[in-house]
Amino acid sequence: MMLSAIFLLTTVAGCVLAAQDQQGLQDGSHTALVATVESLLERIQGLEDLVRSQGQIFISEKQQWLAEKESLQIRVERLETLCSFNDVFPEKSTTDGNEAVRLAKDSQTHARAVFVRSDDSDPLVPVVTQLTARVNEVSAGLQTVKNEVVEASTSVYVHWGSSTCTSSAALVYSGEIGGSFFDTTGAAVNYLCLPLTDLTLADSSTVNDAQLYGGEYETQDAHQEKDPLCAVCRSSRATNVMIPAKTVCPAGWTSEYIGWLMGGWPGHNAASEFICVDSKMEERIGSERNDNGKLLYYTVTVCGSLPCPPYVNGKKVTCVVCSK
């Protein structure tokens, strides 16, 4: 069909060229003739391209239609395999029933309707049941993994000098700061957050043992001799860090609390560590007695090995606890 159209267009173009050629010779206008021929050839080329493009579209649509037809035939054959026509349309004893069966069989090439009797069992039910059980199992496994990921994205820290946690953290338990005696050689270095309720203690018959004391502020201000409180907090963020000499966290980090850098006095026999005590320095009510124990002092700067500036000699050191 496409070739016929091109041949017809070419013939017409030839006739026009012949007419134009004769007229051009008679008029003696060779230049006009050449221009006319070139214009006509361009129009013929455009028509050829258009016919060729339409032909390719027709061939593509025909191939797609044939593919869809083949796919439909395969699906019909599969349905015929699964459901034999005699099972779908059982023979009836009555004339009307036989006629209905005959009509249905005659029309099967155009449309097929599957009727399921009430006593038929759906073969997909066991498959769906098995898949549902599998989906439930996978969902439970995903929930377990989710819980583990959430757990791994949290962290625990001690909020020294406070019996509560910030709004971004959950309280595990609260208590009092304690540890080894301040002047005992070989004492434990670290501070502990000792719970004050629901304790489990046992009788001891040992002679040599470590000893546990409560803590006291040795600050020579309103907190002097009072027992400092503490809280163990679970943060919703995975990492926390204490930064000395700062009250602002780095970019991307969240401040849990700010306070004073505190530790033991260097003239005592027992070593100690630095901890960040909340600036409110909360204490246990009624604990003003001077019983000593694990003592807490403010920390001040000493220039020399410590670069000054940026540090300044004899200044109290701040701190901030940050999480991310």
Side-chain angles (χ1 to χ4, degrees):
M1 180 178 179
M2 181 177 66
L3 295 177
S4 300
I6 296 174
F7 177 77
L8 179 60
L9 292 173
T10 305
T11 303
V12 173
C15 294
V16 174
L17 284 173
Q20 291 290 342
D21 183 66
Q22 182 178 2
Q23 183 66 34
L25 291 175
Q26 293 175 355
D27 296 339
S29 179
H30 180 72
T31 303
L33 177 61
V34 171
T36 301
V37 171
E38 290 178 349
S39 175
L40 188 57
L41 288 175
E42 290 178 357
R43 294 176 60 188
I44 292 174
Q45 182 65 40
L47 290 174
E48 289 178 349
D49 294 339
L50 177 62
V51 171
R52 187 179 297 107
S53 176
Q54 294 296 326
Q56 291 177 349
I57 294 175
F58 172 79
I59 293 174
S60 177
E61 291 179 347
K62 180 178 180 181
Q63 291 175 346
Q64 182 178 358
W65 179 80
L66 291 175
E68 293 177 352
K69 179 181 178 183
E70 182 179 357
S71 176
L72 184 60
Q73 289 177 343
I74 293 174
R75 294 171 62 186
V76 169
E77 290 173 359
R78 290 178 178 175
L79 286 175
E80 289 177 344
T81 302
L82 293 174
C83 306
S84 65
F85 194 78
N86 290 333
D87 291 337
V88 175
F89 298 100
E91 296 292 340
K92 304 295 182 180
S93 58
T94 62
T95 304
D96 293 340
N98 292 335
E99 182 65 17
V101 171
R102 186 187 63 78
L103 291 175
K105 289 182 177 181
D106 292 342
S107 62
Q108 64 176 315
T109 57
H110 303 288
R112 285 177 169 81
V114 178
F115 301 95
V116 180
R117 301 193 304 270
S118 60
D119 60 342
D120 287 342
S121 60
D122 190 347
L124 295 179
V125 170
V127 178
V128 172
T129 302
Q130 184 179 5
L131 289 177
T132 301
R134 180 56 178 164
V135 168
N136 293 336
E137 180 182 349
V138 172
S139 298
L142 289 176
Q143 185 61 44
T144 300
V145 173
K146 179 181 178 181
N147 294 338
E148 292 176 353
V149 170
V150 171
E151 186 69 23
S153 64
T154 63
S155 61
V156 177
Y157 67 92
V158 180
H159 191 164
W160 305 107
S162 173
S163 61
T164 60
C165 301
T166 60
S167 59
S168 62
L171 178 66
V172 180
Y173 72 90
S174 60
E176 176 182 330
I177 298 177
S180 294
F181 194 69
F182 75 96
D183 205 28
T184 301
T185 303
V189 173
N190 59 310
Y191 291 89
L192 299 175
C193 186
L194 305 174
L196 298 176
T197 58
D198 301 325
L199 306 180
T200 302
L201 303 173
D203 294 334
S204 174
S205 59
T206 60
V207 176
N208 298 318
D209 44 36
Q211 297 175 337
L212 184 62
Y213 291 80
E216 280 188 4
Y217 289 121
E218 294 291 335
T219 53
Q220 300 177 13
D221 54 18
H223 304 286
Q224 177 72 21
E225 312 295 0
K226 296 178 181 179
D227 298 351
L229 296 181
C230 57
V232 176
C233 305
R234 182 189 183 199
S235 173
S236 59
R237 290 173 280 271
T239 305
N240 59 77
V241 62
M242 187 270 284
I243 304 177
K246 277 185 172 292
T247 57
V248 178
C249 294
W253 290 73
T254 300
S255 174
E256 295 292 342
Y257 69 92
I258 60 175
W260 299 108
L261 189 69
M262 303 187 78
W265 190 57
H268 293 154
N269 290 322
S272 65
E273 62 179 347
F274 289 116
I275 60 174
C276 186
V277 179
D278 195 296
S279 58
K280 64 185 178 183
M281 297 176 65
E282 187 178 354
E283 65 260 344
R284 183 167 57 86
I285 298 175
S287 62
E288 293 84 0
R289 290 195 320 172
N290 183 18
D291 293 327
N292 290 318
K294 188 70 170 175
L295 304 182
L296 282 168
Y297 292 79
Y298 290 123
T299 301
V300 297
T301 55
V302 179
C303 288
S305 59
L306 187 67
C308 298
Y311 291 92
V312 179
N313 192 64
K315 296 293 184 179
K316 287 168 58 176
V317 182
T318 60
C319 57
V320 60
V321 174
C322 306
S323 61
K324 185 177 182 180

